[in-house]
């Protein structure tokens, strides 16, 4: 079964600190794409970062980076220098053909001032 | 960047009526549009996938006669909730996809909150 698991329903981080959100997935596909989406209180889903499975290099986008471990089917998101605006629900997702996306259950991130 | 709009953003209707939700890609043509449903504090549940000019592909358990999807053009898809009931109350999100192959990207609309009384 194609599943995405986010084992941390909620996490908290102090402003300016670093936090890592976990995500594991299950698939038999070899080529696929992984994503982290942010959903703030406005409910607008925003793409944070994406990773192609065929690339060994971990993707980075400014303060956001991933630790992609293909063999372990793990795709964690690291947020450095956390800001108050980072507070949101974060969803991990993947697809192999862009015809269907599989989403995790989400992690609520709280940022403490 | 690519923008996807949804209209209305919020709708309240009486039980038994039908509600139409529009999803538009404002500055790009979408090869595929997706419709999701999100319950409070839960993840997105894919309802259906639609391609312009063809019938939508519904996920298992989603009633196609109740949730009518029309993909009239490369920039517009509509979801009609027919004979809505209180259990249909939810947050509905559309997304539009563009690009090819590894460059395909999904852009989400702001969502529509439906409340059926």
């Amino acid at each position: 079964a194609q599943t995405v698991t986010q084992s941390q329903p909620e996490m908290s981080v102090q402003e300016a600190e670093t936090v890592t959100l976990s995500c594991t997935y299950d698939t038999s596909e070899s080529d696929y794409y992984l994503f982290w989406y942010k959903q703030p209180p406005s409910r607008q889903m925003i793409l944070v970062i994406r990773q192609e499975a065929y690339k060994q290099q971990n993707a980075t986008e400014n303060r956001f980076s991933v630790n992609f471990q293909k063999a372990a089917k793990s795709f964690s998101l690291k947020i450095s220098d956390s800001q108050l605006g980072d507070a949101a629900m974060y969803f991990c997702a993947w697809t192999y053909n862009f015809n269907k996306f599989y989403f995790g259950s989400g992690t609520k991130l709280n940022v403490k001032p | 960047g690519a923008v996807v709009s949804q209209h209305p953003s919020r709708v309240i209707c009486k039980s038994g009526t039908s509600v139409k939700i529009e999803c538009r890609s404002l500055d790009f043509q979408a090869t595929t549009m997706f419709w999701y449903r999100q319950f409070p504090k839960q993840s997105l549940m894919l309802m259906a996938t639609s391609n312009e000019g063809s019938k939508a592909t519904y996920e298992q358990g989603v009633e196609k006669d109740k949730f009518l999807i029309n993909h009239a053009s490369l920039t517009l898809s509509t979801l009609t909730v027919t004979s809505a009931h209180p259990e249909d109350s939810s947050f509905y999100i559309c997304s539009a996809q563009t690009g090819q192959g590894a460059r395909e990207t999904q852009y989400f609309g702001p969502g529509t909150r439906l409340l059926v009384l």
Side-chain angles (χ1 to χ4, degrees):
Chain A
Q2 323 277 19
T3 58
V4 180
T5 302
Q6 292 179 248
S7 59
Q8 307 150 317
E10 188 166 357
M11 292 194 71
S12 295
V13 63
Q14 204 71 35
E15 195 176 5
E17 296 293 306
T18 296
V19 64
T20 299
L21 309 184
S22 301
C23 173
T24 59
Y25 56 95
D26 186 22
T27 180
S28 57
E29 302 291 336
S30 58
D31 292 327
Y32 48 88
Y33 305 85
L34 296 156
F35 307 84
W36 277 97
Y37 285 94
K38 171 185 178 181
Q39 187 179 42
S42 68
R43 306 293 293 272
Q44 172 77 59
M45 295 281 285
I46 303 167
L47 176 64
V48 175
I49 198 165
R50 63 184 279 168
Q51 171 84 42
E52 290 81 5
Y54 61 84
K55 289 185 178 179
Q56 294 185 343
Q57 187 174 7
N58 290 323
T60 62
E61 285 289 341
N62 300 313
R63 297 183 295 108
F64 299 88
S65 62
V66 299
N67 184 3
F68 173 48
Q69 301 290 328
K70 190 172 184 178
K73 295 181 181 176
S74 171
F75 181 60
S76 61
L77 173 70
K78 185 171 83 171
I79 305 174
S80 304
D81 186 24
S82 297
Q83 300 176 359
L84 295 177
D86 295 334
M89 283 290 291
Y90 285 82
F91 292 98
C92 176
W94 79 272
T95 184
Y96 67 92
N97 61 3
F98 290 93
N99 287 335
K100 183 171 182 177
F101 286 73
Y102 299 86
F103 285 84
S105 55
T107 296
K108 182 180 181 182
L109 178 65
N110 303 305
V111 181
K112 299 178 181 179
Chain B
V3 178
V4 176
S5 70
Q6 274 184 248
H7 179 78
S9 58
R10 178 177 295 188
V11 58
I12 301 173
C13 69
K14 293 182 179 180
S15 184
T17 60
S18 294
V19 175
K20 179 185 285 189
I21 303 170
E22 290 186 351
C23 177
R24 293 181 184 272
S25 56
L26 299 184
D27 49 1
F28 66 97
Q29 293 185 327
T31 52
T32 305
M33 286 186 171
F34 302 90
W35 286 96
Y36 296 88
R37 184 173 179 176
Q38 187 179 29
F39 291 101
K41 298 183 179 180
Q42 293 189 25
S43 188
L44 280 68
M45 181 191 78
L46 180 65
M47 299 175 66
T49 303
S50 73
N51 293 290
E52 185 260 343
S54 60
K55 290 185 178 180
T57 301
Y58 289 82
E59 292 300 300
Q60 191 173 10
V62 178
E63 299 176 59
K64 61 181 179 181
D65 294 331
K66 180 168 186 60
F67 298 100
L68 300 179
I69 292 173
N70 182 274
H71 198 148
S73 73
L74 286 171
T75 59
L76 173 64
S77 177
T78 60
L79 168 67
T80 301
V81 183
T82 61
S83 187
H85 290 283
E87 57 266 29
D88 298 324
S89 298
S90 190
F91 193 68
Y92 293 88
I93 303 174
C94 76
S95 70
Q97 189 158 275
T98 186
Q100 292 185 341
R103 302 187 69 82
E104 288 192 74
T105 303
Q106 185 178 197
Y107 298 95
F108 286 85
T112 297
R113 185 176 300 283
L114 171 63
L115 177 61
V116 185
L117 302 177

